[in-house]
């Protein structure tokens, strides 16, 4: 199989859309990602996967904190900003959860402290100990087959 075929196959897995954020030296950094999952209930742990070329990688390593913002269906523009799909500068307002930067209006905000780091292939996996959560009753933004989607009840 080639890289394109592998990437296409992985795109067949419908996922939510998140923005991973961290703060270093008073500056907030974010990146759109769908490589996120829960790991453990006791203790409460999640994992994010960050590519070796991502600008945020060393910032999370240094800050030792991150947040996962599970985007709502009306937050596609935020996803596009943090994915670098919108090039012109846009002001993004961050709230705080347990002192960490989060995006207002997300379905869920998950504040984490890095508890372990594992390098696998061309990505680094950060295991995060969840320090706080904020939830809102909203429909999620979904990504499938290279396109943004929303959920519809069957």
């Amino acid at each position: 199989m080639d890289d394109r075929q592998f990437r296409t196959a992985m795109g067949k897995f419908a996922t939510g859309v998140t923005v991973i954020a961290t703060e270093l030296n008073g500056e907030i950094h974010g990146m759109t990602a769908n490589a996120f999952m829960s790991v453990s209930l006791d203790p409460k742990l999640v994992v994010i996967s960050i590519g070796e070329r991502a600008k945020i990688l060393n910032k999370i390593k240094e800050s030792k904190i991150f947040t996962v913002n599970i985007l709502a269906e009306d937050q596609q523009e935020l996803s596009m900003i943090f994915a670098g799909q919108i090039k012109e500068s846009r002001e993004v307002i961050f709230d705080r959860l347990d002192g960490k930067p989060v995006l207002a209006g997300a379905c869920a905000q998950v504040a984490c402290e890095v508890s372990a780091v594992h390098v696998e292939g061309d990505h680094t996996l950060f295991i995060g100990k969840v320090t706080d959560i904020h939830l809102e009753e909203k429909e999620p933004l979904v990504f499938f087959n290279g396109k943004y989607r929303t959920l519809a009840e069957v």
Side-chain angles (χ1 to χ4, degrees), residues 10-110:
M10 295 304 102
K12 299 294 183 186
F13 185 64
T15 65
V17 181
T18 73
V19 169
I20 306 301
T22 193
E23 186 170 22
L24 186 62
N25 302 323
E27 192 173 335
I28 298 171
H29 307 273
M31 180 190 97
T32 299
N34 62 0
F36 156 73
M37 68 178 207
S38 63
V39 172
S40 170
L41 186 58
D42 185 18
K44 291 166 184 59
L45 300 173
V46 298
V47 65
I48 58 172
S49 178
I50 307 293
E52 66 185 10
R53 290 181 283 173
K55 295 175 188 171
I56 201 170
L57 177 65
N58 288 324
K59 293 169 178 39
I60 294 174
K61 284 181 180 177
E62 195 172 333
S63 70
K64 297 185 177 25
I65 62 151
F66 64 88
T67 62
V68 179
N69 300 273
I70 301 173
L71 299 186
E73 66 183 352
D74 63 351
Q75 294 182 305
Q76 180 178 331
E77 184 175 292
L78 283 173
S79 173
M80 295 173 74
I81 289 168
F82 288 104
Q85 296 168 327
I86 295 177
K87 300 298 183 196
E88 60 270 7
S89 181
R90 305 269 173 101
E91 183 180 7
V92 177
I93 306 296
F94 285 89
D95 285 344
R96 295 281 170 176
L97 180 65
D98 190 35
K100 299 167 185 70
V102 291
L103 290 169
C107 290
Q109 303 164 338
V110 183

